[in-house]
mmCIF file of all heavy atoms in Angstrom:
data_model
loop_
_atom_site.group_PDB
_atom_site.id
_atom_site.type_symbol
_atom_site.label_atom_id
_atom_site.label_comp_id
_atom_site.label_asym_id
_atom_site.label_seq_id
_atom_site.Cartn_x
_atom_site.Cartn_y
_atom_site.Cartn_z
ATOM 1 N N ARG A 1 98.549 -181.740 -57.991
ATOM 2 C CA ARG A 1 98.880 -183.139 -57.645
ATOM 3 C C ARG A 1 99.421 -183.933 -58.821
ATOM 4 O O ARG A 1 99.753 -185.098 -58.655
ATOM 5 C CB ARG A 1 97.622 -183.818 -57.092
ATOM 6 C CG ARG A 1 97.117 -183.186 -55.800
ATOM 7 C CD ARG A 1 95.876 -183.890 -55.292
ATOM 8 N NE ARG A 1 95.336 -183.306 -54.083
ATOM 9 C CZ ARG A 1 94.270 -183.706 -53.441
ATOM 10 N NH1 ARG A 1 93.593 -184.749 -53.925
ATOM 11 N NH2 ARG A 1 93.821 -183.073 -52.348
ATOM 12 N N VAL A 2 99.477 -183.326 -60.007
ATOM 13 C CA VAL A 2 99.996 -183.982 -61.172
ATOM 14 C C VAL A 2 101.498 -184.052 -61.124
ATOM 15 O O VAL A 2 102.152 -183.138 -60.613
ATOM 16 C CB VAL A 2 99.545 -183.270 -62.474
ATOM 17 C CG1 VAL A 2 100.108 -183.961 -63.707
ATOM 18 C CG2 VAL A 2 98.015 -183.216 -62.502
ATOM 19 N N ASN A 3 102.074 -185.148 -61.588
ATOM 20 C CA ASN A 3 103.549 -185.272 -61.648
ATOM 21 C C ASN A 3 104.117 -184.071 -62.382
ATOM 22 O O ASN A 3 103.674 -183.713 -63.444
ATOM 23 C CB ASN A 3 103.878 -186.563 -62.388
ATOM 24 C CG ASN A 3 105.336 -186.903 -62.304
ATOM 25 O OD1 ASN A 3 106.223 -186.060 -62.547
ATOM 26 N ND2 ASN A 3 105.634 -188.112 -61.933
ATOM 27 N N PRO A 4 105.159 -183.443 -61.784
ATOM 28 C CA PRO A 4 105.727 -182.215 -62.389
ATOM 29 C C PRO A 4 106.160 -182.375 -63.845
ATOM 30 O O PRO A 4 105.967 -181.438 -64.638
ATOM 31 C CB PRO A 4 106.934 -181.949 -61.522
ATOM 32 C CG PRO A 4 106.584 -182.510 -60.205
ATOM 33 C CD PRO A 4 105.794 -183.729 -60.498
ATOM 34 N N LYS A 5 106.653 -183.530 -64.237
ATOM 35 C CA LYS A 5 107.106 -183.698 -65.625
ATOM 36 C C LYS A 5 105.946 -183.754 -66.576
ATOM 37 O O LYS A 5 106.086 -183.522 -67.793
ATOM 38 C CB LYS A 5 107.973 -184.929 -65.753
ATOM 39 C CG LYS A 5 107.293 -186.269 -65.500
ATOM 40 C CD LYS A 5 108.262 -187.405 -65.672
ATOM 41 C CE LYS A 5 107.603 -188.757 -65.456
ATOM 42 N NZ LYS A 5 108.557 -189.887 -65.625
ATOM 43 N N TYR A 6 104.737 -184.072 -66.075
ATOM 44 C CA TYR A 6 103.531 -184.035 -66.911
ATOM 45 C C TYR A 6 102.845 -182.686 -66.806
ATOM 46 O O TYR A 6 102.213 -182.214 -67.745
ATOM 47 C CB TYR A 6 102.568 -185.166 -66.525
ATOM 48 C CG TYR A 6 103.163 -186.529 -66.698
ATOM 49 C CD1 TYR A 6 103.142 -187.458 -65.640
ATOM 50 C CD2 TYR A 6 103.717 -186.955 -67.910
ATOM 51 C CE1 TYR A 6 103.681 -188.727 -65.782
ATOM 52 C CE2 TYR A 6 104.247 -188.198 -68.067
ATOM 53 C CZ TYR A 6 104.247 -189.087 -67.017
ATOM 54 O OH TYR A 6 104.797 -190.321 -67.164
ATOM 55 N N ARG A 7 102.924 -182.083 -65.617
ATOM 56 C CA ARG A 7 102.234 -180.820 -65.390
ATOM 57 C C ARG A 7 102.739 -179.706 -66.311
ATOM 58 O O ARG A 7 101.949 -178.909 -66.795
ATOM 59 C CB ARG A 7 102.382 -180.403 -63.915
ATOM 60 C CG ARG A 7 101.639 -179.123 -63.561
ATOM 61 C CD ARG A 7 101.570 -178.873 -62.076
ATOM 62 N NE ARG A 7 102.885 -178.671 -61.528
ATOM 63 C CZ ARG A 7 103.406 -179.449 -60.528
ATOM 64 N NH1 ARG A 7 102.705 -180.448 -60.045
ATOM 65 N NH2 ARG A 7 104.614 -179.189 -60.070
ATOM 66 N N VAL A 8 104.028 -179.664 -66.558
ATOM 67 C CA VAL A 8 104.591 -178.587 -67.388
ATOM 68 C C VAL A 8 104.040 -178.719 -68.815
ATOM 69 O O VAL A 8 103.757 -177.704 -69.476
ATOM 70 C CB VAL A 8 106.123 -178.664 -67.381
ATOM 71 C CG1 VAL A 8 106.635 -179.935 -68.050
ATOM 72 C CG2 VAL A 8 106.718 -177.445 -68.084
ATOM 73 N N HIS A 9 103.807 -179.935 -69.324
ATOM 74 C CA HIS A 9 103.228 -180.106 -70.620
ATOM 75 C C HIS A 9 101.731 -179.768 -70.650
ATOM 76 O O HIS A 9 101.224 -179.206 -71.602
ATOM 77 C CB HIS A 9 103.416 -181.552 -71.106
ATOM 78 C CG HIS A 9 104.843 -181.890 -71.399
ATOM 79 N ND1 HIS A 9 105.436 -181.578 -72.603
ATOM 80 C CD2 HIS A 9 105.779 -182.547 -70.679
ATOM 81 C CE1 HIS A 9 106.705 -181.969 -72.605
ATOM 82 N NE2 HIS A 9 106.932 -182.561 -71.461
ATOM 83 N N LEU A 10 101.058 -180.081 -69.551
ATOM 84 C CA LEU A 10 99.648 -179.723 -69.431
ATOM 85 C C LEU A 10 99.430 -178.234 -69.469
ATOM 86 O O LEU A 10 98.583 -177.718 -70.211
ATOM 87 C CB LEU A 10 99.060 -180.325 -68.153
ATOM 88 C CG LEU A 10 97.619 -179.921 -67.787
ATOM 89 C CD1 LEU A 10 96.647 -180.485 -68.835
ATOM 90 C CD2 LEU A 10 97.257 -180.424 -66.393
ATOM 91 N N LEU A 11 100.251 -177.477 -68.705
ATOM 92 C CA LEU A 11 100.114 -176.040 -68.680
ATOM 93 C C LEU A 11 100.550 -175.421 -70.018
ATOM 94 O O LEU A 11 99.947 -174.419 -70.474
ATOM 95 C CB LEU A 11 100.958 -175.478 -67.542
ATOM 96 C CG LEU A 11 100.533 -175.903 -66.117
ATOM 97 C CD1 LEU A 11 101.473 -175.331 -65.080
ATOM 98 C CD2 LEU A 11 99.106 -175.450 -65.852
ATOM 99 N N ALA A 12 101.581 -175.969 -70.623
ATOM 100 C CA ALA A 12 102.021 -175.453 -71.928
ATOM 101 C C ALA A 12 100.921 -175.664 -72.968
ATOM 102 O O ALA A 12 100.698 -174.790 -73.830
ATOM 103 C CB ALA A 12 103.321 -176.152 -72.337
ATOM 104 N N LEU A 13 100.280 -176.797 -72.935
ATOM 105 C CA LEU A 13 99.189 -177.069 -73.867
ATOM 106 C C LEU A 13 98.038 -176.104 -73.652
ATOM 107 O O LEU A 13 97.430 -175.591 -74.615
ATOM 108 C CB LEU A 13 98.688 -178.511 -73.704
ATOM 109 C CG LEU A 13 97.535 -178.951 -74.628
ATOM 110 C CD1 LEU A 13 97.944 -178.840 -76.073
ATOM 111 C CD2 LEU A 13 97.104 -180.379 -74.273
ATOM 112 N N LEU A 14 97.702 -175.810 -72.368
ATOM 113 C CA LEU A 14 96.641 -174.891 -72.067
ATOM 114 C C LEU A 14 97.003 -173.493 -72.597
ATOM 115 O O LEU A 14 96.130 -172.819 -73.209
ATOM 116 C CB LEU A 14 96.382 -174.828 -70.569
ATOM 117 C CG LEU A 14 95.389 -173.773 -70.083
ATOM 118 C CD1 LEU A 14 94.010 -174.050 -70.664
ATOM 119 C CD2 LEU A 14 95.345 -173.730 -68.560
ATOM 120 N N ILE A 15 98.199 -173.021 -72.333
ATOM 121 C CA ILE A 15 98.616 -171.698 -72.782
ATOM 122 C C ILE A 15 98.559 -171.618 -74.305
ATOM 123 O O ILE A 15 98.068 -170.619 -74.893
ATOM 124 C CB ILE A 15 100.038 -171.403 -72.288
ATOM 125 C CG1 ILE A 15 100.015 -171.167 -70.758
ATOM 126 C CG2 ILE A 15 100.603 -170.170 -72.983
ATOM 127 C CD1 ILE A 15 101.380 -170.969 -70.150
ATOM 128 N N THR A 16 98.982 -172.682 -74.999
ATOM 129 C CA THR A 16 98.933 -172.698 -76.451
ATOM 130 C C THR A 16 97.491 -172.634 -76.950
ATOM 131 O O THR A 16 97.184 -171.923 -77.918
ATOM 132 C CB THR A 16 99.613 -173.973 -77.022
ATOM 133 O OG1 THR A 16 100.945 -174.060 -76.480
ATOM 134 C CG2 THR A 16 99.646 -173.946 -78.501
ATOM 135 N N MET A 17 96.585 -173.345 -76.293
ATOM 136 C CA MET A 17 95.163 -173.297 -76.671
ATOM 137 C C MET A 17 94.598 -171.912 -76.426
ATOM 138 O O MET A 17 93.791 -171.426 -77.252
ATOM 139 C CB MET A 17 94.389 -174.366 -75.865
ATOM 140 C CG MET A 17 94.753 -175.777 -76.211
ATOM 141 S SD MET A 17 93.959 -176.989 -75.114
ATOM 142 C CE MET A 17 92.229 -176.614 -75.387
ATOM 143 N N LEU A 18 94.944 -171.255 -75.337
ATOM 144 C CA LEU A 18 94.435 -169.937 -75.077
ATOM 145 C C LEU A 18 94.970 -168.904 -76.060
ATOM 146 O O LEU A 18 94.236 -168.007 -76.491
ATOM 147 C CB LEU A 18 94.798 -169.504 -73.637
ATOM 148 C CG LEU A 18 94.136 -170.311 -72.518
ATOM 149 C CD1 LEU A 18 94.627 -169.837 -71.149
ATOM 150 C CD2 LEU A 18 92.623 -170.204 -72.572
ATOM 151 N N VAL A 19 96.229 -169.053 -76.428
ATOM 152 C CA VAL A 19 96.818 -168.184 -77.445
ATOM 153 C C VAL A 19 96.087 -168.359 -78.794
ATOM 154 O O VAL A 19 95.784 -167.390 -79.506
ATOM 155 C CB VAL A 19 98.323 -168.462 -77.608
ATOM 156 C CG1 VAL A 19 98.865 -167.746 -78.859
ATOM 157 C CG2 VAL A 19 99.098 -168.007 -76.368
ATOM 158 N N TYR A 20 95.776 -169.625 -79.111
ATOM 159 C CA TYR A 20 95.042 -169.881 -80.356
ATOM 160 C C TYR A 20 93.642 -169.297 -80.313
ATOM 161 O O TYR A 20 93.152 -168.759 -81.296
ATOM 162 C CB TYR A 20 94.993 -171.380 -80.607
ATOM 163 C CG TYR A 20 94.206 -171.785 -81.845
ATOM 164 C CD1 TYR A 20 94.705 -171.551 -83.104
ATOM 165 C CD2 TYR A 20 92.960 -172.364 -81.699
ATOM 166 C CE1 TYR A 20 93.978 -171.891 -84.253
ATOM 167 C CE2 TYR A 20 92.216 -172.706 -82.834
ATOM 168 C CZ TYR A 20 92.741 -172.468 -84.091
ATOM 169 O OH TYR A 20 92.008 -172.809 -85.201
ATOM 170 N N ALA A 21 93.011 -169.389 -79.129
ATOM 171 C CA ALA A 21 91.619 -168.960 -79.012
ATOM 172 C C ALA A 21 91.507 -167.419 -78.984
ATOM 173 O O ALA A 21 90.567 -166.863 -79.540
ATOM 174 C CB ALA A 21 90.988 -169.542 -77.761
ATOM 175 N N GLY A 22 92.407 -166.749 -78.318
ATOM 176 C CA GLY A 22 92.246 -165.313 -78.131
ATOM 177 C C GLY A 22 93.434 -164.491 -78.566
ATOM 178 O O GLY A 22 93.442 -163.250 -78.363
ATOM 179 N N GLY A 23 94.436 -165.115 -79.162
ATOM 180 C CA GLY A 23 95.603 -164.367 -79.582
ATOM 181 C C GLY A 23 95.298 -163.277 -80.590
ATOM 182 O O GLY A 23 95.958 -162.226 -80.588
ATOM 183 N N ASN A 24 94.335 -163.504 -81.450
ATOM 184 C CA ASN A 24 94.001 -162.503 -82.466
ATOM 185 C C ASN A 24 93.108 -161.389 -81.949
ATOM 186 O O ASN A 24 92.849 -160.416 -82.630
ATOM 187 C CB ASN A 24 93.281 -163.206 -83.668
ATOM 188 C CG ASN A 24 91.969 -163.853 -83.242
ATOM 189 O OD1 ASN A 24 91.871 -164.373 -82.136
ATOM 190 N ND2 ASN A 24 91.003 -163.856 -84.146
ATOM 191 N N LEU A 25 92.640 -161.531 -80.701
ATOM 192 C CA LEU A 25 91.781 -160.504 -80.113
ATOM 193 C C LEU A 25 92.478 -159.663 -79.073
ATOM 194 O O LEU A 25 92.351 -158.433 -79.079
ATOM 195 C CB LEU A 25 90.553 -161.185 -79.472
ATOM 196 C CG LEU A 25 89.621 -161.934 -80.400
ATOM 197 C CD1 LEU A 25 88.488 -162.626 -79.613
ATOM 198 C CD2 LEU A 25 88.985 -160.967 -81.420
ATOM 199 N N THR A 26 93.249 -160.299 -78.203
ATOM 200 C CA THR A 26 93.965 -159.537 -77.166
ATOM 201 C C THR A 26 95.440 -159.916 -77.054
ATOM 202 O O THR A 26 96.209 -159.245 -76.382
ATOM 203 C CB THR A 26 93.319 -159.773 -75.777
ATOM 204 O OG1 THR A 26 93.482 -161.164 -75.421
ATOM 205 C CG2 THR A 26 91.850 -159.411 -75.799
ATOM 206 N N GLY A 27 95.843 -161.022 -77.688
ATOM 207 C CA GLY A 27 97.183 -161.522 -77.507
ATOM 208 C C GLY A 27 97.263 -162.606 -76.468
ATOM 209 O O GLY A 27 98.247 -163.319 -76.380
ATOM 210 N N ALA A 28 96.175 -162.763 -75.677
ATOM 211 C CA ALA A 28 96.079 -163.782 -74.644
ATOM 212 C C ALA A 28 97.344 -163.774 -73.755
ATOM 213 O O ALA A 28 98.086 -164.729 -73.661
ATOM 214 C CB ALA A 28 95.904 -165.176 -75.261
ATOM 215 N N VAL A 29 97.582 -162.628 -73.094
ATOM 216 C CA VAL A 29 98.794 -162.446 -72.321
ATOM 217 C C VAL A 29 98.612 -162.914 -70.878
ATOM 218 O O VAL A 29 99.413 -163.672 -70.342
ATOM 219 C CB VAL A 29 99.246 -160.964 -72.364
ATOM 220 C CG1 VAL A 29 100.533 -160.785 -71.594
ATOM 221 C CG2 VAL A 29 99.448 -160.505 -73.793
ATOM 222 N N PHE A 30 97.578 -162.417 -70.232
ATOM 223 C CA PHE A 30 97.252 -162.644 -68.813
ATOM 224 C C PHE A 30 98.492 -162.621 -67.890
ATOM 225 O O PHE A 30 98.616 -163.391 -66.985
ATOM 226 C CB PHE A 30 96.377 -163.886 -68.570
ATOM 227 C CG PHE A 30 96.841 -165.161 -69.225
ATOM 228 C CD1 PHE A 30 97.662 -166.052 -68.570
ATOM 229 C CD2 PHE A 30 96.358 -165.471 -70.492
ATOM 230 C CE1 PHE A 30 98.059 -167.242 -69.150
ATOM 231 C CE2 PHE A 30 96.750 -166.670 -71.102
ATOM 232 C CZ PHE A 30 97.589 -167.554 -70.416
ATOM 233 N N ASN A 31 99.401 -161.705 -68.196
ATOM 234 C CA ASN A 31 100.603 -161.487 -67.366
ATOM 235 C C ASN A 31 100.931 -159.997 -67.488
ATOM 236 O O ASN A 31 101.390 -159.543 -68.546
ATOM 237 C CB ASN A 31 101.754 -162.341 -67.888
ATOM 238 C CG ASN A 31 103.026 -162.178 -67.056
ATOM 239 O OD1 ASN A 31 103.280 -161.158 -66.427
ATOM 240 N ND2 ASN A 31 103.842 -163.211 -67.040
ATOM 241 N N PRO A 32 100.711 -159.207 -66.431
ATOM 242 C CA PRO A 32 100.917 -157.767 -66.493
ATOM 243 C C PRO A 32 102.334 -157.351 -66.910
ATOM 244 O O PRO A 32 102.503 -156.417 -67.695
ATOM 245 C CB PRO A 32 100.589 -157.299 -65.080
ATOM 246 C CG PRO A 32 99.642 -158.319 -64.564
ATOM 247 C CD PRO A 32 100.102 -159.636 -65.143
ATOM 248 N N ALA A 33 103.350 -158.022 -66.384
ATOM 249 C CA ALA A 33 104.702 -157.655 -66.725
ATOM 250 C C ALA A 33 105.019 -157.963 -68.190
ATOM 251 O O ALA A 33 105.631 -157.137 -68.884
ATOM 252 C CB ALA A 33 105.695 -158.401 -65.796
ATOM 253 N N LEU A 34 104.587 -159.091 -68.655
ATOM 254 C CA LEU A 34 104.797 -159.468 -70.073
ATOM 255 C C LEU A 34 104.048 -158.513 -71.001
ATOM 256 O O LEU A 34 104.572 -158.140 -72.048
ATOM 257 C CB LEU A 34 104.327 -160.910 -70.276
ATOM 258 C CG LEU A 34 104.431 -161.422 -71.718
ATOM 259 C CD1 LEU A 34 105.908 -161.377 -72.207
ATOM 260 C CD2 LEU A 34 103.938 -162.861 -71.800
ATOM 261 N N ALA A 35 102.845 -158.122 -70.614
ATOM 262 C CA ALA A 35 102.087 -157.199 -71.445
ATOM 263 C C ALA A 35 102.811 -155.836 -71.585
ATOM 264 O O ALA A 35 102.853 -155.253 -72.670
ATOM 265 C CB ALA A 35 100.712 -156.952 -70.820
ATOM 266 N N LEU A 36 103.413 -155.344 -70.507
ATOM 267 C CA LEU A 36 104.160 -154.091 -70.549
ATOM 268 C C LEU A 36 105.369 -154.233 -71.480
ATOM 269 O O LEU A 36 105.694 -153.324 -72.209
ATOM 270 C CB LEU A 36 104.589 -153.702 -69.147
ATOM 271 C CG LEU A 36 105.446 -152.432 -69.054
ATOM 272 C CD1 LEU A 36 104.649 -151.214 -69.523
ATOM 273 C CD2 LEU A 36 105.943 -152.230 -67.637
ATOM 274 N N SER A 37 106.036 -155.382 -71.402
ATOM 275 C CA SER A 37 107.220 -155.603 -72.229
ATOM 276 C C SER A 37 106.861 -155.694 -73.732
ATOM 277 O O SER A 37 107.604 -155.198 -74.555
ATOM 278 C CB SER A 37 107.945 -156.866 -71.782
ATOM 279 O OG SER A 37 109.156 -157.040 -72.496
ATOM 280 N N LEU A 38 105.710 -156.319 -74.014
ATOM 281 C CA LEU A 38 105.324 -156.507 -75.408
ATOM 282 C C LEU A 38 104.731 -155.239 -76.028
ATOM 283 O O LEU A 38 104.937 -155.003 -77.203
ATOM 284 C CB LEU A 38 104.268 -157.632 -75.482
ATOM 285 C CG LEU A 38 104.751 -159.049 -75.198
ATOM 286 C CD1 LEU A 38 103.580 -160.022 -75.264
ATOM 287 C CD2 LEU A 38 105.837 -159.488 -76.149
ATOM 288 N N HIS A 39 104.046 -154.440 -75.234
ATOM 289 C CA HIS A 39 103.290 -153.315 -75.787
ATOM 290 C C HIS A 39 103.561 -152.008 -75.020
ATOM 291 O O HIS A 39 102.623 -151.358 -74.560
ATOM 292 C CB HIS A 39 101.782 -153.614 -75.781
ATOM 293 C CG HIS A 39 101.432 -154.947 -76.329
ATOM 294 N ND1 HIS A 39 101.662 -155.323 -77.629
ATOM 295 C CD2 HIS A 39 100.872 -156.022 -75.737
ATOM 296 C CE1 HIS A 39 101.245 -156.553 -77.814
ATOM 297 N NE2 HIS A 39 100.773 -157.011 -76.688
ATOM 298 N N PRO A 40 104.797 -151.599 -74.866
ATOM 299 C CA PRO A 40 105.087 -150.372 -74.092
ATOM 300 C C PRO A 40 104.506 -149.109 -74.732
ATOM 301 O O PRO A 40 104.018 -148.228 -74.062
ATOM 302 C CB PRO A 40 106.625 -150.308 -74.051
ATOM 303 C CG PRO A 40 107.045 -151.083 -75.257
ATOM 304 C CD PRO A 40 106.032 -152.203 -75.438
ATOM 305 N N HIS A 41 104.520 -149.061 -76.096
ATOM 306 C CA HIS A 41 103.980 -147.872 -76.756
ATOM 307 C C HIS A 41 102.478 -147.747 -76.563
ATOM 308 O O HIS A 41 101.921 -146.636 -76.415
ATOM 309 C CB HIS A 41 104.291 -147.935 -78.236
ATOM 310 C CG HIS A 41 105.748 -147.899 -78.571
ATOM 311 N ND1 HIS A 41 106.514 -146.757 -78.482
ATOM 312 C CD2 HIS A 41 106.585 -148.882 -78.976
ATOM 313 C CE1 HIS A 41 107.758 -147.001 -78.829
ATOM 314 N NE2 HIS A 41 107.851 -148.295 -79.099
ATOM 315 N N CYS A 42 101.777 -148.890 -76.508
ATOM 316 C CA CYS A 42 100.348 -148.870 -76.285
ATOM 317 C C CYS A 42 100.005 -148.373 -74.891
ATOM 318 O O CYS A 42 99.048 -147.639 -74.698
ATOM 319 C CB CYS A 42 99.772 -150.265 -76.543
ATOM 320 S SG CYS A 42 100.042 -150.920 -78.190
ATOM 321 N N PHE A 43 100.813 -148.809 -73.896
ATOM 322 C CA PHE A 43 100.553 -148.354 -72.542
ATOM 323 C C PHE A 43 100.831 -146.862 -72.428
ATOM 324 O O PHE A 43 100.156 -146.140 -71.677
ATOM 325 C CB PHE A 43 101.473 -149.104 -71.581
ATOM 326 C CG PHE A 43 100.914 -150.428 -71.103
ATOM 327 C CD1 PHE A 43 101.255 -151.585 -71.796
ATOM 328 C CD2 PHE A 43 100.088 -150.511 -70.037
ATOM 329 C CE1 PHE A 43 100.750 -152.800 -71.394
ATOM 330 C CE2 PHE A 43 99.565 -151.717 -69.613
ATOM 331 C CZ PHE A 43 99.909 -152.889 -70.301
ATOM 332 N N TYR A 44 101.771 -146.356 -73.179
ATOM 333 C CA TYR A 44 102.099 -144.941 -73.174
ATOM 334 C C TYR A 44 100.973 -144.113 -73.810
ATOM 335 O O TYR A 44 100.620 -143.037 -73.294
ATOM 336 C CB TYR A 44 103.418 -144.678 -73.905
ATOM 337 C CG TYR A 44 103.794 -143.207 -73.980
ATOM 338 C CD1 TYR A 44 104.331 -142.557 -72.845
ATOM 339 C CD2 TYR A 44 103.640 -142.505 -75.169
ATOM 340 C CE1 TYR A 44 104.670 -141.211 -72.915
ATOM 341 C CE2 TYR A 44 104.001 -141.163 -75.251
ATOM 342 C CZ TYR A 44 104.489 -140.514 -74.109
ATOM 343 O OH TYR A 44 104.848 -139.195 -74.183
ATOM 344 N N GLU A 45 100.436 -144.621 -74.931
ATOM 345 C CA GLU A 45 99.379 -143.872 -75.639
ATOM 346 C C GLU A 45 98.022 -144.015 -75.030
ATOM 347 O O GLU A 45 97.198 -143.081 -75.053
ATOM 348 C CB GLU A 45 99.359 -144.347 -77.097
ATOM 349 C CG GLU A 45 100.649 -144.060 -77.855
ATOM 350 C CD GLU A 45 100.671 -144.644 -79.221
ATOM 351 O OE1 GLU A 45 99.610 -145.186 -79.641
ATOM 352 O OE2 GLU A 45 101.715 -144.585 -79.916
ATOM 353 N N LYS A 46 97.675 -145.220 -74.511
ATOM 354 C CA LYS A 46 96.341 -145.494 -73.969
ATOM 355 C C LYS A 46 96.486 -146.215 -72.636
ATOM 356 O O LYS A 46 96.049 -147.352 -72.508
ATOM 357 C CB LYS A 46 95.521 -146.311 -74.975
ATOM 358 C CG LYS A 46 95.422 -145.706 -76.341
ATOM 359 C CD LYS A 46 94.727 -146.661 -77.327
ATOM 360 C CE LYS A 46 94.670 -146.091 -78.705
ATOM 361 N NZ LYS A 46 94.010 -147.012 -79.675
ATOM 362 N N PHE A 47 97.058 -145.550 -71.656
ATOM 363 C CA PHE A 47 97.411 -146.205 -70.445
ATOM 364 C C PHE A 47 96.185 -146.763 -69.708
ATOM 365 O O PHE A 47 96.233 -147.890 -69.208
ATOM 366 C CB PHE A 47 98.160 -145.224 -69.508
ATOM 367 C CG PHE A 47 98.505 -145.845 -68.189
ATOM 368 C CD1 PHE A 47 99.595 -146.710 -68.050
ATOM 369 C CD2 PHE A 47 97.748 -145.576 -67.027
ATOM 370 C CE1 PHE A 47 99.915 -147.272 -66.845
ATOM 371 C CE2 PHE A 47 98.073 -146.133 -65.828
ATOM 372 C CZ PHE A 47 99.159 -146.960 -65.720
ATOM 373 N N LEU A 48 95.129 -145.995 -69.629
ATOM 374 C CA LEU A 48 93.982 -146.401 -68.852
ATOM 375 C C LEU A 48 93.353 -147.696 -69.398
ATOM 376 O O LEU A 48 93.094 -148.636 -68.640
ATOM 377 C CB LEU A 48 92.901 -145.285 -68.847
ATOM 378 C CG LEU A 48 91.666 -145.560 -67.976
ATOM 379 C CD1 LEU A 48 92.044 -145.792 -66.534
ATOM 380 C CD2 LEU A 48 90.658 -144.416 -68.098
#
């Protein structure tokens, strides 16, 4: 229900905070397609 021009900044701020909080531990990706693109060698070596 937030105005779209404010919502995009709210979500961007949240993503930035999550990256800061967990980026050094997992990368804070929470996007399966993006994870595959960023770490294809890791999926190949340790797929499970």
Side-chain angles (χ1 to χ4, degrees):
R1 298 180 182 179
V2 179
N3 189 310
K5 66 180 181 180
Y6 299 126
R7 183 169 63 238
V8 66
H9 290 279
L10 173 64
L11 296 177
L13 180 61
L14 174 64
I15 290 175
T16 305
M17 292 172 61
L18 294 177
V19 169
Y20 177 72
N24 62 326
L25 296 176
T26 65
V29 182
F30 49 92
N31 182 333
L34 178 58
L36 177 63
S37 184
L38 292 176
H39 312 297
H41 296 287
C42 300
F43 276 93
Y44 178 76
E45 296 174 7
K46 304 174 183 178
F47 178 79
L48 183 59

